[in-house]
């Protein structure tokens, strides 16, 4: 089978669906190829900061999601070593009032997919290789299907085939891993709207309500060779986390204790070395680009992975539509008088603009995430003193500062 499409997006995750919906809002159709049989909801939930809500409002689904998720009012930071009472930081700081909620990934993806025209997402469609045919890219799927496209956007995650084609290296292992889970109390969990954070002794943990009934939690640590025994064993994961969190408040430990085994996952934390975004592979090349985790895989320590993917989707849709609808200049069409050549150059300019807008933002988020995780999980007397006495407020402020970003509307103002 062979077909021709105008725009193909590899991956129906946050970045892919946001880009597709942004294009749809602006009157342009795309085809989204998803390797799984259904929407992927790995990770259960993620923290959405102010920058994410600006993107969700731009795409037109912010208010619907607000109704389903609780507004977080404070961040509570507890040292696992000092024994001191937790320090609390109001989210109404000097960087503006922060809008932070913990959004259920399934709810977000379903909301995005629901707004798309029927047939936009094609499941069980795994991209395995990419070729070129004049101004078109030729996408080969695992089932033998061949799709030719004028634009190829890689939103295919940390193991992106498109990113590899563009010259990016495989994402690097940080030496840390994460266990994530969520607990549905089937009634009020009784927690205040706070983001509870614990760090020290080589671990970092967080607990945050999604709504009145569901608590999401995460636990990060640097695994030893012995820890591989429970990578695929949720029961052992759960006991391991409880053993490391034995000094946590009882009501917090109850959250882990009540987590069902099919609501626990473990994964290694990987990231793109930040200098690769500046000087390594190409964010865009011709009529191909990457977004989301395919572009900027990062550690979860400032909660910006999903938020940045939402930003990418808005900026990318805007850049593509601007490139396709603007009247081309003489410089754009010189040397390519055929229609396909003109379209190719306009698309190339649009994707180059996207790459320029997102390069430094991606570099900043990857670098900050890695640094914050390193500091919060480090051991040793000097690090403990610095983290507990000097850096805790600074790090919390840094989270707010990185979320004080506006990706703009879908359409640029004249």
């Amino acid at each position: 089978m062979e077909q021709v499409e105008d725009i193909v997006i590899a991956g129906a995750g946050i970045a892919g669906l946001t880009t597709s919906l942004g294009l749809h809002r602006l009157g342009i159709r795309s085809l989204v190829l998803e390797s799984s049989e259904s929407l992927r909801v790995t990770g259960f939930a993620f923290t959405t900061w102010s920058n994410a809500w600006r993107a969700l409002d731009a795409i037109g689904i912010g208010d619907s999601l607000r109704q389903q998720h609780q507004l977080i009012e404070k961040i509570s930071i507890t040292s696992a070593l000092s024994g001191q009472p937790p320090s609390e930081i109001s989210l109404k700081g000097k960087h503006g009032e922060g809008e932070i909620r913990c959004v259920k990934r399934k709810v977000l993806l379903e909301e995005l997919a629901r707004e798309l025209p029927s047939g936009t997402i094609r499941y069980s469609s795994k991209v395995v290789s990419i070729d070129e045919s004049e101004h078109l890219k030729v996408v080969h799927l695992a089932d033998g299907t061949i799709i030719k496209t004028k634009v190829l956007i890689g939103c295919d995650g940390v193991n992106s085939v498109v990113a590899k084609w563009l010259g990016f290296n495989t994402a690097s292992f940080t030496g840390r891993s994460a266990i994530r889970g969520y607990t549905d109390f089937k009634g009020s969990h009784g927690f205040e709207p706070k983001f509870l954070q614990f760090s020290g002794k080589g671990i970092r943990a967080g607990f945050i309500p999604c709504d009145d009934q569901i608590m999401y939690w995460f636990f990060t640590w640097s695994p030893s060779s012995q820890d591989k025994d429970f990578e695929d064993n949720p029961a052992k994961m759960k006991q391991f986390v409880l053993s490391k969190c034995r000094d946590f408040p009882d009501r917090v430990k109850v959250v882990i204790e009540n987590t069902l085994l099919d609501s626990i996952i473990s994964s290694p934390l990987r990231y793109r070395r930040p200098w690769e975004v500046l000087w390594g592979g190409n964010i865009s090349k011709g009529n191909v680009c990457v977004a989301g985790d395919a572009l900027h895989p990062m550690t979860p320590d400032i909660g910006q992975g999903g938020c940045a993917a939402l930003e990418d989707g808005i900026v990318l849709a805007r850049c593509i539509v601007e490139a396709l609808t603007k009247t081309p200049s003489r410089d754009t069409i010189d040397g390519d008088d055929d229609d396909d050549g003109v379209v190719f150059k306009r698309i190339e300019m649009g994707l180059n603009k996207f790459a320029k807008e997102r390069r430094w933002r991606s570099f900043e988020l990857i670098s900050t995430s890695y640094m914050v995780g390193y500091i919060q999980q480090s051991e040793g007397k000097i690090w403990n003193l610095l983290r507990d006495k000097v850096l805790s407020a600074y790090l919390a402020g840094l989270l707010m500062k990185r979320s004080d970003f506006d990706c703009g509307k879908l359409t640029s103002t004249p």
Side-chain angles (χ1 to χ4, degrees):
M1 293 176 58
E2 185 175 302
Q3 62 188 87
V4 179
E5 297 285 341
D6 288 331
I7 300 176
V8 167
I9 300 171
I14 296 172
L17 293 184
T18 303
T19 304
S20 182
L21 182 53
L23 291 169
H24 172 62
R25 297 281 198 237
L26 297 172
I28 293 182
R29 181 187 177 277
S30 61
L31 174 65
V32 181
L33 303 176
E34 170 53 45
S35 61
S36 302
E37 296 179 355
S38 60
L39 291 175
R40 291 169 290 138
V41 294
T42 304
F44 307 126
F46 69 102
T47 310
T48 49
W49 296 76
S50 302
N51 54 316
W53 290 104
R54 295 185 184 108
L56 290 167
D57 286 336
I59 209 74
I61 61 172
D63 287 342
S64 173
L65 291 169
R66 284 184 179 94
Q67 294 172 13
Q68 302 175 68
H69 299 91
Q70 192 173 41
L71 179 66
I72 304 302
E73 298 176 359
K74 294 180 180 180
I75 299 175
S76 173
I77 303 169
T78 303
S79 168
L81 290 167
S82 68
Q84 298 296 315
S87 58
E88 291 193 351
I89 298 171
S90 172
L91 295 176
K92 298 179 181 179
K94 63 182 179 180
H95 297 290
E97 184 171 345
E99 181 177 7
I100 303 175
R101 303 171 197 265
C102 187
V103 170
K104 290 164 276 189
R105 188 176 295 266
K106 183 175 185 289
V107 171
L108 171 61
L109 293 181
E110 288 178 348
E111 191 83 26
L112 289 166
R114 191 180 301 117
E115 295 291 313
L116 289 168
S118 177
T120 299
I121 307 172
R122 183 180 299 175
Y123 296 102
S124 301
S125 299
K126 181 178 175 59
V127 176
V128 293
S129 65
I130 304 162
D131 291 324
E132 298 184 78
S133 176
E134 296 183 343
H135 295 303
L136 300 176
K137 289 299 174 286
V138 183
V139 181
H140 299 266
L141 305 186
D143 64 2
T145 301
I146 297 173
I147 302 174
K148 292 183 177 179
T149 181
K150 297 175 184 176
V151 185
L152 175 60
I153 302 169
C155 300
D156 45 342
V158 69
N159 297 311
S160 171
V161 173
V162 181
K164 184 177 180 181
W165 187 88
L166 287 170
F168 280 114
N169 293 321
T170 303
S172 302
F173 177 48
T174 63
R176 300 166 58 213
S177 290
I179 296 175
R180 300 175 174 94
Y182 79 96
T183 305
D184 187 348
F185 283 81
K186 307 296 184 183
S188 176
H189 49 58
F191 281 86
E192 296 177 71
K194 293 181 183 179
F195 184 1
L196 307 177
Q197 297 186 11
F198 302 83
S199 62
K201 297 183 180 179
I203 64 101
R204 180 170 179 264
F207 301 79
I208 184 169
C210 293
D211 52 32
D212 292 336
Q213 299 188 45
I214 294 177
M215 290 289 293
Y216 169 70
W217 60 269
F218 64 83
F219 174 89
T220 66
W221 86 108
S222 299
S224 64
S225 57
Q226 289 82 10
D227 294 338
K228 292 183 178 180
D229 294 342
F230 59 72
E231 282 182 351
D232 298 314
N233 189 323
K236 288 186 176 181
M237 286 184 220
K238 185 173 179 177
Q239 291 306 311
F240 174 76
V241 175
L242 285 170
S243 71
K244 293 293 185 179
C245 301
R246 58 182 174 271
D247 296 327
F248 287 13
D250 289 342
R251 65 196 300 261
V252 171
K253 289 187 287 187
V254 165
V255 176
I256 304 170
E257 290 168 353
N258 287 347
T259 304
L260 300 178
L261 296 184
D262 61 0
S263 300
I264 302 175
I265 59 168
S266 175
S267 59
L269 297 181
R270 292 191 282 167
Y271 77 121
R272 187 166 313 290
R273 298 185 189 277
W275 52 86
E276 286 186 40
V277 176
L278 298 182
W279 307 299
N282 301 295
I283 296 176
S284 72
K285 180 181 178 182
N287 54 353
V288 181
C289 76
V290 283
D293 281 348
L295 166 58
H296 45 60
M298 65 186 79
T299 65
D301 300 288
I302 61 171
Q304 281 292 336
C307 302
L310 288 165
E311 293 177 9
D312 288 343
I314 301 299
V315 177
L316 183 50
R318 182 173 65 232
C319 288
I320 290 173
V321 172
E322 284 179 358
L324 292 176
T325 55
K326 275 187 177 179
T327 302
S329 65
R330 186 70 248 171
D331 291 340
T332 304
I333 62 177
D334 277 350
D336 259 310
D337 292 330
D338 64 286
D339 289 343
D340 288 343
V342 172
V343 170
F344 178 86
K345 284 198 169 182
R346 290 169 72 169
I347 290 168
E348 183 178 38
M349 290 175 65
L351 298 186
N352 283 340
K353 183 180 180 183
F354 166 77
K356 185 177 179 181
E357 283 196 40
R358 299 304 294 168
R359 189 180 305 278
W360 280 102
R361 175 67 171 163
S362 299
F363 174 85
E364 178 182 65
L365 293 178
I366 295 170
S367 303
T368 305
S369 298
Y370 186 89
M371 179 193 72
V372 169
Y374 180 84
I375 292 173
Q376 289 190 327
Q377 205 170 303
S378 293
E379 296 184 88
K381 290 183 178 180
I382 295 177
W383 274 119
N384 294 337
L385 179 66
L386 285 172
R387 180 177 57 243
D388 297 344
K389 301 295 184 183
V390 181
L391 294 175
S392 60
Y394 168 76
L395 293 176
L398 199 57
L399 269 62
M400 294 293 293
K401 188 174 182 180
R402 291 295 177 261
S403 69
D404 187 23
F405 182 88
D406 190 347
C407 63
K409 309 299 183 184
L410 273 176
T411 53
S412 60
T413 54

